[in-house]
Amino acid sequence: MRIYCTDNLEVKIIEPQIFVDDRGYFFESFRQDFIEKEIGDINFIQENESKSILGTLRGLHYQIPPFAQSKLVRVVEGRVLDIAVDIRKGSPNFGKYVAVELSEDNKRQLFIPRGFAHGFLTLSDRATFLYKVDNYYSKEHERGIFYGDEILNIKWNGSLDGVKVSDKDRYLPKFIDSECM
């Protein structure tokens, strides 16, 4: 595995070493010792999966303390544009975002620390998205930011006209009105 820093040095891209032959491929998708060495002491306790169709936008989601979550995300089918927004008040990167394409072909993973809002846009006919988290989901601590916020000005790979989004996500507060950490 190799790790790359993004513009926000705390968000990391992880690329596995892939072994390919005429039967297919093999790679280690997760190693706790690698994560501890490269990122720090994190204990992932829950794994989630979603399936989305082309043009589905999910996010921008986060949880506030004491249920804030770090995430390790990847795509096992299809491709997405993955977004992590720094919402930590006082951070030099507050309000800035990282955008990374994750796909079944590049097999990249993205580590998103606590204090970031997260979302993705499906770029393929369908995408299966997996993510590990280091804290349990809590409905009472769930928050979000409107994906089309003008201050954040996220480049979602083109127009947002016609995106498929839940009512919950469509009516999330703007960045300026959100409960940042």
Side-chain angles (χ1 to χ4, degrees):
M1 289 185 182
R2 289 177 294 194
I3 195 161
Y4 301 96
C5 293
T6 62
D7 290 341
N8 185 316
L9 300 178
E10 293 165 76
V11 175
K12 313 266 188 203
I13 298 170
I14 300 169
E15 284 189 352
Q17 183 177 9
I18 303 165
F19 301 94
V20 180
D21 64 22
D22 60 347
R23 301 168 296 161
Y25 67 85
F26 169 85
F27 71 95
E28 293 177 342
S29 62
F30 178 76
R31 280 188 60 130
Q32 186 70 30
D33 61 342
F34 176 82
I35 295 295
E36 288 173 359
K37 178 182 172 210
E38 297 295 333
I39 294 174
D41 186 22
I42 294 185
N43 182 33
F44 292 111
I45 60 171
Q46 181 176 322
E47 185 171 75
N48 306 309
E49 179 177 323
S50 69
K51 187 161 202 131
S52 302
I53 60 173
L54 178 66
T56 297
L57 194 151
R58 297 183 186 266
L60 299 160
H61 304 144
Y62 62 98
Q63 291 195 166
I64 59 171
F67 286 92
Q69 296 176 324
S70 293
K71 297 177 180 178
L72 182 62
V73 302
R74 70 188 184 106
V75 170
V76 295
E77 174 192 33
R79 65 193 240 304
V80 306
L81 179 65
D82 203 68
I83 304 289
V85 180
D86 191 338
I87 59 169
R88 300 168 299 165
K89 291 180 179 170
S91 166
N93 294 310
F94 180 69
K96 295 180 181 172
Y97 70 92
V98 171
V100 177
E101 185 173 308
L102 304 177
S103 73
E104 67 182 297
D105 294 329
N106 69 27
K107 300 193 184 346
R108 286 180 166 176
Q109 297 180 57
L110 195 65
F111 172 75
I112 304 162
R114 292 179 181 197
F116 284 74
H118 174 254
F120 67 87
L121 174 65
T122 305
L123 303 175
S124 54
D125 288 341
R126 62 182 168 269
T128 303
F129 192 86
L130 293 178
Y131 54 106
K132 295 177 183 341
V133 293
D134 71 342
N135 208 348
Y136 294 109
Y137 170 76
S138 169
K139 185 173 179 65
E140 296 79 33
H141 296 84
E142 179 184 33
R143 302 292 187 273
I145 299 168
F146 177 60
Y147 59 88
D149 185 87
E150 301 88 14
I151 293 173
L152 296 178
N153 194 28
I154 296 172
K155 306 296 183 222
W156 286 102
N157 202 33
S159 170
L160 292 176
D161 294 338
V163 294
K164 297 163 187 70
V165 63
S166 71
D167 284 341
K168 177 180 88 169
D169 289 355
R170 185 178 320 281
Y171 300 110
L172 288 171
K174 301 270 184 146
F175 181 66
I176 199 164
D177 299 320
S178 65
E179 193 174 339
C180 295
M181 295 190 231

